[in-house]
Amino acid sequence: MLMSSTLASLSAAEKQDHPEWYATRWLSGGPEPSPIGSVDADDPVDAADPVDAAGPGIALVAEPGHVNSFLVVGSRRAVLFDTGMGIRPMLPTLDRLTSLPFTVVNSHDHFDHRGGNHELSEHAADIAVHPAASQGHHAAPADFYPGYRRAAARAAALFDQFAALDRQGPFTLTPDQFPRPLPELDTWRIPAVPPTRLLLDGETIDLGDRTLTVLHTPGHSPDSICLWDPETRTLLSGDTVLSAAYWAHQPGADVAAFAHTLRRLDQLGARRVLVAHNLRAELDGDAVHRAALAMTEVAEGRTRPTPDTDLLGRGVRRHDLAGVTIFTAPGEQPR
């Protein structure tokens, strides 16, 4: 999925509220949470005591409106789940969150989830992926960058309309929800970075005082993986569970496999889900159940989709089911 949220065109005054590209905060446990957008050189997170071992020790490292990455910190090491777009350096932000060695785990081989791999590859213990991605991780093609700009412009226009309506009465938006406007991107590139470690379904990652379990979750892509923290019943979902539209229409997507994956995840009994897109980074565990029901309906051909387009302007069949939106390819038939 390229992006499921928005990039606003902010005024000069509004930009001053968001001096950092990355917005970070501890989701629970750890040091006193820093408000989103406030982590800078003058207000660092104490890296000497990164987390309270009794808490989940998970920090949101967000590019608001683009991608949400997550840093899971244990007593001996950490895992960074996805590296975002790579538009701005991430390492200084990670250094403010923890001094522990870390492994990068990519949820899947889409450019918006591994854009920072090239920056972090010299600092991470490994770049870890599912074996289905072992021959991937190529450089982004030249047409990716203008395509992203167009998607950003379209999303920004939608967000501006929503923000204007919100200011008239609902007031649901908070300052930390405003997306980051795109900087100049003439030199932005996502190069090829070969993975250095393969992660199998059921494999565990030992962080010292907690262990994460790798789950192979095909559907959005053949190589998609989630990470499961059984101690806190937290699911780090990548693009497998979302608070935005499910992209099941791009090459490599498989609606039937997606439905099977979501039913499997539903059996975990997650308490919360940490998602890769939209301005809502954290969902309740019931989001998995709702998604499983909706994707199964689509896979079994029991929906009435309508024509629509995704943010890239590509035609899709849109399925709306009880708050869950799923995009499938035009003319695609249930399997």
Side-chain angles (χ1 to χ4, degrees), residues 80-326:
L80 177 64
F81 193 54
D82 285 337
T83 63
M85 301 297 300
I87 292 175
R88 292 288 177 87
M90 184 183 280
L91 187 62
T93 297
L94 299 180
D95 284 344
R96 291 195 289 266
L97 294 170
T98 184
S99 59
L100 293 174
F102 67 93
T103 294
V104 167
V105 175
N106 292 138
S107 64
H108 59 297
D109 182 18
H110 285 172
F111 302 123
D112 53 336
H113 295 261
R114 59 175 177 88
N117 281 14
H118 68 289
E119 176 206 0
L120 300 177
S121 60
E122 295 182 3
H123 305 276
D126 280 298
I127 304 292
V129 304
H130 186 267
S134 61
Q135 301 304 311
H137 285 246
H138 305 299
D143 61 358
F144 168 78
Y145 306 100
Y148 193 84
R149 287 178 183 270
R150 288 192 297 271
R154 181 180 180 189
L158 292 172
F159 182 86
D160 287 343
Q161 294 174 32
F162 175 68
L165 291 171
D166 190 65
R167 286 192 294 268
Q168 294 180 31
F171 294 103
T172 61
L173 292 172
T174 60
D176 61 6
Q177 290 176 303
F178 279 79
R180 301 303 194 253
L182 281 177
E184 292 298 323
L185 300 178
D186 292 342
T187 60
W188 174 40
R189 294 294 182 269
I190 300 177
V193 179
T196 61
R197 178 180 173 183
L198 301 181
L199 295 172
L200 300 175
D201 182 66
E203 187 172 343
T204 58
I205 304 173
D206 183 7
L207 302 183
D209 61 344
R210 63 168 34 85
T211 299
L212 301 177
T213 301
V214 177
L215 302 174
H216 182 212
T217 54
H220 176 71
S221 67
D223 63 314
S224 287
I225 58 175
C226 295
L227 295 182
W228 171 242
D229 181 356
E231 179 184 356
T232 62
R233 291 169 61 187
T234 297
L235 180 70
L236 290 87
S237 69
D239 282 356
T240 299
V241 181
L242 289 169
S243 60
Y246 287 75
W247 284 32
H249 63 292
Q250 73 279 16
D254 185 321
V255 174
F258 217 150
H260 181 270
T261 282
L262 289 169
R263 290 194 297 268
R264 177 192 180 196
L265 294 180
D266 190 23
Q267 296 175 4
L268 293 173
R271 288 179 178 169
R272 67 174 179 176
V273 186
L274 305 182
V275 302
H277 290 284
N278 217 328
L279 301 179
R280 295 173 59 200
E282 187 172 356
L283 303 178
D284 61 84
D286 193 53
V288 183
H289 182 65
R290 295 191 298 268
L293 291 178
M295 195 67 71
T296 298
E297 290 287 302
V298 173
E300 295 180 355
R302 296 198 297 265
T303 64
R304 294 184 178 181
T306 57
D308 203 344
T309 58
D310 65 16
L311 282 173
L312 293 172
R314 300 177 299 188
V316 299
R317 296 173 59 175
R318 178 181 180 125
H319 310 253
D320 289 297
L321 302 99
V324 177
T325 297
I326 298 168

